[in-house]
Amino acid sequence: MPVRSAIVRRLLAVVGAVTLAFGATAVVAPPASAQTIVRVTTTRGCEWTTGVGQYWRVKADVTVAQVAGSSYRWIESATNARTELVGFTLGVEESNQVASASIRNNGASVYISGSAVLSYGVPTPWGGINWLSLPINCSTTYSVY
């Protein structure tokens, strides 16, 4: 089959050159080996429930590429690693946040991890009164297979 497609491409090139020499236009098909790459970006990570209606998360935006029409996929990039504290957060502060995402196994997986310190306290007119500081961390591995 590769020999046949090479012959067809060569014939198309010769016909196109002859046609163009006479002032006409030619449409040449792309090579049969051209592949379309499809990319999809999604957010992946892990989450902890740190209180009633309160969640701490580590996230990253992961781009997975795939050859169209096949099952071959790989992780192309992992960006925007971040932490967030959401939900009912009155009297809670997040500090010393660290987040990272690293692609592993030749693009087959990505390791996402993060840590922070959550400080619980009571807000007052004179400033916050902290009574507990809790280090927190989580990590996950996302794999395309």
Side-chain angles (χ1 to χ4, degrees), residues 1-13 31-32:
M1 212 39 134
V3 173
R4 179 183 286 174
S5 63
I7 293 170
V8 169
R9 281 196 302 268
R10 181 69 182 141
L11 283 173
L12 284 173

Side-chain angles (χ1 to χ4, degrees), residues 30-106:
S33 63
Q35 297 176 337
T36 303
I37 306 295
V38 178
R39 292 171 178 84
V40 176
T41 301
T42 185
T43 301
R44 297 285 185 217
C46 54
E47 173 180 278
W48 283 99
T49 301
T50 56
V52 177
Q54 180 184 98
Y55 305 93
W56 182 78
R57 299 177 180 144
V58 176
K59 301 195 286 185
D61 299 328
V62 178
T63 300
V64 177
Q66 180 174 2
V67 175
S70 78
S71 62
Y72 181 62
R73 299 183 304 253
W74 66 95
I75 295 173
E76 190 170 74
S77 67
T79 58
N80 196 21
R82 61 203 180 273
T83 67
E84 65 181 13
L85 181 64
V86 297
F88 183 72
T89 59
L90 180 65
V92 183
E93 291 182 7
E94 180 186 22
S95 61
N96 300 330
Q97 307 95 320
V98 177
S100 66
S102 59
I103 298 172
R104 296 183 174 180
N105 301 319
N106 293 322

Side-chain angles (χ1 to χ4, degrees), residues 127-142:
I129 299 173
N130 290 333
W131 74 80
L132 174 67
S133 289
L134 175 69
I136 190 166
N137 63 60
C138 77
S139 63
T140 188
T141 300
Y142 171 69

Side-chain angles (χ1 to χ4, degrees), residues 112-136:
I112 302 167
S113 65
S115 65
V117 175
L118 301 182
S119 298
Y120 293 85
V122 177
T124 68
W126 307 278
I129 299 173
N130 290 333
W131 74 80
L132 174 67
S133 289
L134 175 69
I136 190 166

